[in-house]
Amino acid sequence: MKTVLVLNGPNLNLLGTREPQVYGSQSLEDVKALCQGACKSHGFALDFRQSNHEGELVDWIHEAGKSHAAGNLAGVVLNAGAYTHTSVALHDAIKGTGIVLIELHISNVHAREAFRHHSFISPVAKAVMAGFGVKGYAMAIAGLADLA
Ligand code: CA2
């Protein structure tokens, strides 16, 4: 059984506690349960993580590259949070790994402030999703199943 790695970046541990008009009222634990259900439906194992630290996310992408090379990874769903708009390090880590990576945003970043319109992740992603709320996570996992 292949694994889907769901990575969440900075501040996403706060999901459900602030800005519910933007991010909804579900917690990150709720999102994990949603992902677990989606993975079960599509015959994937789930590895779900969150970090507030850029380097840790980079390390996890390296790990995903090794798992991909070993044939154990279906793909990565990455909500890099604000690092989406700043991180050359994440761009470089993803590039060349060969991993199928879906860039995901809960909110429609293009309908928000101009600084959220640029992504360092999009050029190295297979697909980009934004604005479906937390349900986007389950949709991204379904998308990985379709690509497999
Ligand atoms: O829409 C998304 O998923 C974002 O990736 C979320 C990031 C933001 O910087 C991106 O532009 C778009 C922010 C995540 C912060 O999450 C919070 C959730 C609840 C309360 C406070 C922060």
Side-chain angles (χ1 to χ4, degrees), residues 32-118:
K32 184 178 178 180
L34 188 79
C35 290
Q36 242 146 9
C39 279
K40 198 173 173 197
S41 302
H42 294 288
F44 294 135
L46 174 69
D47 187 346
F48 189 95
R49 306 180 191 186
Q50 187 274 332
S51 178
N52 292 323
H53 305 279
E54 188 176 18
E56 188 161 39
L57 292 163
V58 167
D59 287 344
W60 290 343
I61 295 290
H62 294 173
E63 216 183 283
K66 285 184 195 154
S67 177
H68 168 76
N72 298 327
L73 189 75
V76 177
V77 178
L78 173 63
N79 185 349
Y83 289 144
T84 304
H85 319 298
T86 63
S87 183
V88 177
L90 276 172
H91 171 107
D92 287 346
I94 296 160
K95 195 172 186 174
T97 53
I99 61 180
V100 178
L101 183 139
I102 313 289
E103 174 184 348
L104 180 131
H105 302 286
I106 297 166
S107 64
N108 177 0
V109 284
H110 298 288
R112 300 181 64 194
E113 303 96 322
F115 66 82
R116 297 187 202 276
H117 297 178
H118 178 264

Side-chain angles (χ1 to χ4, degrees), residues 6-26:
V6 179
L7 296 182
N8 296 282
N11 297 311
L12 284 157
N13 54 310
L14 299 175
L15 212 57
T17 67
R18 292 192 227 154
E19 298 187 74
Q21 70 288 359
V22 181
Y23 300 115
S25 53
Q26 289 187 281

